[in-house]
Amino acid sequence: AIHEEAIVTIVETALGLARCTFDSVGAIALSSGPGSFTGLRIGASFAKGLCFDGRISLLAVPTSSALALACARRAGEPPRLIMTAIAANRDLVYVGTFGADGSPMGEVQAIPSAEARNGVSDDMAVVGPSATTIAQRASLGVEFLSSRWIAEYACSAIDAGTPWTDVATYQPDYRQDFVGSKPKPRM
């Protein structure tokens, strides 16, 4: 419940800092996952609610792709490979491998942390919120997911002619089924 309340305050604050209002927003770029089930659900619900009447367009941005593009654009001498690492649950990490330009080299997969650590090579930059979990250090300071990376990816996608996301049918990229805690027995 606190996340649902906080998102409104955060968005209103961001709009205020940008000296904008909801009426001046023409598009929303949304981090589509993979990532936290609850975070993706709340973000998607909020964005879809704002876009549902059709006045605001929606663009779902693959989270790992945004991280890889941020790394590719910030590297002085780009690494040969980029690995993205985002925490999943049960000691799993969402791992994606990308070329030096940020282009995907396969599907993002949830794998055990130990397997991800074994997949790190010397010619690879490791980025994302779980980079330091699987590598000695995060590369190039792209350790967290920033709205800036989502916006940069969205602008590149729009320039490349990527179609807008259908608000009515959009679902985040959960990658895993929701696993809640077991209810406590009643006494």
Side-chain angles (χ1 to χ4, degrees):
I2 193 159
H3 294 94
E4 293 161 342
E5 295 168 13
I7 194 168
V8 174
T9 303
I10 291 167
V11 170
E12 287 175 341
T13 301
L15 288 171
L17 291 170
R19 296 187 177 106
C20 294
T21 65
F22 278 112
D23 292 335
S24 63
V25 174
I28 293 176
L30 173 69
S31 178
S32 66
S36 156
F37 183 92
T38 302
L40 292 172
R41 181 185 57 81
I42 291 169
S45 296
F46 185 74
K48 286 174 74 167
L50 293 174
C51 298
F52 206 76
D53 69 0
R55 290 184 301 118
I56 300 173
S57 298
L58 179 67
L59 186 64
V61 172
T63 308
S64 293
S65 295
L67 285 166
L69 183 63
C71 177
R73 289 186 173 173
R74 275 146 193 82
E77 183 173 323
R80 192 174 71 76
L81 295 171
I82 299 168
M83 176 188 278
T84 60
I86 302 168
N89 58 12
R90 294 172 260 154
D91 194 40
L92 297 175
V93 179
Y94 295 115
V95 172
T97 305
F98 298 80
D101 63 351
S103 59
M105 297 179 68
E107 289 291 316
V108 173
Q109 297 180 355
I111 61 173
S113 297
E115 186 179 327
R117 279 190 289 279
N118 290 336
V120 176
S121 63
D122 291 339
D123 61 348
M124 181 180 285
V126 182
V127 297
S130 294
T132 55
T133 301
I134 63 170
Q136 293 289 353
R137 62 178 182 78
S139 302
L140 308 172
V142 185
E143 300 171 28
F144 57 93
L145 182 61
S146 168
S147 57
R148 177 180 175 184
W149 312 150
I150 300 299
E152 284 185 17
Y153 184 95
C155 288
S156 294
I158 292 165
D159 288 347
T162 300
W164 296 103
T165 302
D166 180 11
V167 175
T169 60
Y170 171 71
Q171 290 289 318
D173 182 6
Y174 294 122
R175 296 284 166 128
Q176 295 184 57
D177 292 331
F178 176 74
V179 178
S181 60
K182 293 181 182 179
K184 295 180 182 175
R186 294 183 188 204
M187 297 282 177

